[in-house]
Amino acid sequence: MTDPATAPEPAAYQKIDTSVPHSARIWNYWLGGKDNYPVDEAAGDAYTAVFPGIVTIARSSRAFLRRTITHLVSEAGIRQFLDIGTGLPTAENTHEVAQRLAPEARIVYVDNDPMVLAHARALLYSSAEGATAYVDADVTDPDRIIEKAAGTLDLTRPTALVLSNILGHVADHGRARAIVGRLMDALPSGSYLSVNDGSRGIDPVFERAQDAYNESGAVPYNLRTVEAITAFFDGLELVEPGVVSVTRWRPEPGSPAAEVVAEHGGLARKP
């Protein structure tokens, strides 16, 4: 283990509430992970009863992350990653994909959930040549994220900012765009932005299921139109094929034609 996390920060002292479902744990359940509780499985099963396609969306999102990280390392030469809204560790985490291709890659994960922090040690195993660190911070506090990330990353060098299924937790679109802008402003030319989020206007069954979930008392996750997701990349140079359903972003050669799912994403370079 290299560059271990610093002393526990605020989330470490929060009690993990196992009486109510939590979005990160439900997502982990859909991905086939084990870091969840019966209440999360029940909520996940209730959701899939209404919209079974959510499992495909969750796993397609993870596959999109793998392909974008692979592109960034192999084709764009990126060796630094700032992954915000990490969630619970499953398979093919950012550092695993990046360091498999470039052992010297350095990754900072950011989350503020106490259960994620409790599992941070699983995230922090790095190659000997690189580094993997964890920052306890909220996506709505970009200045803190930048300050803490600079302890592991050299933010004068091109860095990939990864925002996977996190911006939907910021209800106001203007505020979400401002957060992305502040984070990208802290990164130099040649850096990249990867965003993927649940999309509205594609699948009405998904939208009804998500709206019902948001009204259940759980932490809401707001779907956005494809146009709104695309707006996060304003001022950047989109990598082909642009903002598309995550299943159609550079699918593996020879794979069958992918169905469109209500999860859109893209990758763009800062000029």
Side-chain angles (χ1 to χ4, degrees), residues 246-260:
V246 291
T247 54
R248 297 196 169 181
W249 196 93
R250 302 197 173 201
E252 303 291 348
S255 58
E259 63 174 311
V260 171

Side-chain angles (χ1 to χ4, degrees), residues 169-269:
H169 289 299
V170 183
D172 182 79
H173 187 235
R175 186 183 186 196
R177 289 186 64 185
I179 289 167
V180 174
R182 175 68 186 98
L183 291 165
M184 289 304 297
D185 284 348
L187 304 180
S189 174
S191 293
Y192 282 79
L193 170 66
S194 174
V195 171
N196 62 286
D197 264 308
S199 46
R200 189 172 288 277
I202 306 298
D203 189 330
V205 180
F206 176 37
E207 292 170 23
R208 287 196 295 271
Q210 187 60 45
D211 290 345
Y213 175 84
N214 289 350
E215 294 167 3
S216 71
V219 176
Y221 178 86
N222 302 278
L223 304 179
R224 289 195 165 96
T225 64
V226 178
E227 292 75 19
I229 294 171
T230 303
F232 290 127
F233 298 99
D234 284 356
L236 306 177
E237 301 168 347
L238 276 165
V239 174
E240 290 294 332
V243 177
V244 294
S245 177
V246 291
T247 54
R248 297 196 169 181
W249 196 93
R250 302 197 173 201
E252 303 291 348
S255 58
E259 63 174 311
V260 171
V261 299
E263 171 91 9
H264 280 66
L267 180 69
R269 182 183 182 275

Side-chain angles (χ1 to χ4, degrees), residues 21 26 29-30 36-49 213:
I26 297 171
Y29 174 57
W30 287 331
N36 45 73
Y37 294 97
V39 66
D40 306 304
E41 296 182 15
D45 289 343
Y47 197 117
T48 57
Y213 175 84

Side-chain angles (χ1 to χ4, degrees), residues 71-86:
H71 172 87
L72 286 163
V73 174
S74 300
E75 299 186 43
I78 295 297
R79 296 295 183 268
Q80 299 194 128
F81 296 84
L82 178 56
D83 185 341
I84 301 175
T86 305

Side-chain angles (χ1 to χ4, degrees), residues 106-120:
R106 303 176 74 84
I107 297 90
V108 170
Y109 290 108
V110 180
D111 211 299
N112 73 330
D113 179 80
M115 187 167 179
V116 173
L117 184 58
H119 288 77

